[in-house]
Each structure stands twice: as structure tokens, then as C-alpha cells.
Amino acid sequence: ISHLPDDWKLLEYKPSDSNEVWFFRKNLGAKSLIGHRSLSTLVYFTLKFVPKDQSGLPTAQDAGVLYVFEESIIPKLEEATSSVMVASVLKAGVKDHLFYVSNPDLFIKVIGEYKPALANFIIDIEKSDDPKWDAYSDFPDGT
């Protein structure tokens, strides 16, 4: 899993009826893993924050915390739990991270160790069976 190409697609979307700005990031490098039998559980790791304004985007301070989390902590988490982050969504005071994991209980235990670094956020974790990677295939990538 750790040898995936570092190939991400970023899409920005602005709904016509609001001042919000949404960002969708998809890990195109994970396409080779679609349906991988040991990665059949989808985990949504959701961080909720108070937006800086009507855009729904985080303050500079919260954005910095999110950046460090994604650049420093997520690679360690993926390595420790044999998981892969396949996408993220940033919109309306919410940052969702989507992971396919082999052992959901281990993943939730390990990610819990990083909660102190995310003290300014409300954290929510949801998991569902998705052996065919339907959520990944349905996630927008601009194609």
C-alpha cells in the first residue's frame, strides 16, 4: 500500500446559491487498489470546525492544523494500520477524510491517539462495509 503513486486531483466547487467554497481531493493513485480484499471497510474521519466566514472554510490557524495532520500524521496512520486515504472533502465547516482500512478497530484505536492534536475540532468517525469501493468510484474527480 505504501508504494502508491502520489497522484491527487483537487476540484474546487462554488455553489451558485451561496458564498461557500468546497474542495474535493481524490487519491487517483489508489485506483489500483479498487476492490482490494483486505481493504473492504470505508471509514469517514470527520473534523468539524467553526468557519472563518460564509465561505465555510477554516481559519488560518485551523487550516494549519489540518495541513499538519494531513502531511505528518496521516502517512504514519496509514503505515501503522495498513490503510489508505482515498479522498477528502472540505466544505461548510467540515473536513471529511475517507479511508479504506483492513482493521477498523485498530484504525480507530490508532487515530484516537492523535485526537489531542485536533483539540479545536469536533471529531466524528463512521465506518461502513464497501468491498467494491463504491464510495471511491462515485467520488468526483472531474472526469
Side-chain angles (χ1 to χ4, degrees):
I1 296 173
S2 60
H3 302 300
L4 292 178
D6 189 20
D7 184 8
W8 290 82
K9 176 76 176 198
L10 176 67
L11 294 178
E12 180 178 339
Y13 177 72
K14 294 180 179 177
S16 58
D17 58 347
S18 79
N19 293 319
E20 289 185 1
V21 180
W22 302 351
F23 289 99
F24 298 88
R25 276 181 61 218
K26 185 172 183 176
N27 183 349
L28 300 180
K31 278 185 181 173
S32 63
L33 295 175
I34 288 176
H36 194 288
R37 60 184 174 82
S38 71
L39 296 169
S40 61
T41 302
L42 175 66
V43 174
Y44 285 86
F45 182 72
T46 303
L47 301 170
K48 298 176 184 173
F49 56 86
V50 177
K52 67 179 180 179
D53 56 27
Q54 291 182 338
S55 69
L57 299 176
T59 62
Q61 180 180 350
D62 283 347
V65 171
L66 290 169
Y67 178 80
V68 168
F69 176 74
E70 290 188 9
E71 292 299 311
S72 302
I73 296 175
I74 286 179
K76 293 176 190 172
L77 177 67
E78 289 174 321
E79 183 76 24
T81 63
S82 296
S83 63
V84 60
M85 185 172 126
V86 297
S88 67
V89 180
L90 178 64
K91 71 176 193 177
V94 174
K95 178 75 182 249
D96 273 320
H97 303 84
L98 287 69
F99 294 87
Y100 281 98
V101 304
S102 55
N103 182 333
D105 294 333
L106 175 64
F107 181 87
I108 290 168
K109 176 184 178 292
V110 173
I111 205 166
E113 296 170 9
Y114 295 106
K115 284 184 179 179
L118 301 167
N120 290 346
F121 299 89
I122 297 170
I123 297 172
D124 188 30
I125 300 174
E126 291 182 31
K127 62 182 178 176
S128 62
D129 290 328
D130 187 7
K132 295 181 182 174
W133 284 41
D134 292 331
Y136 176 82
S137 298
D138 291 345
F139 198 87
D141 61 14
T143 58

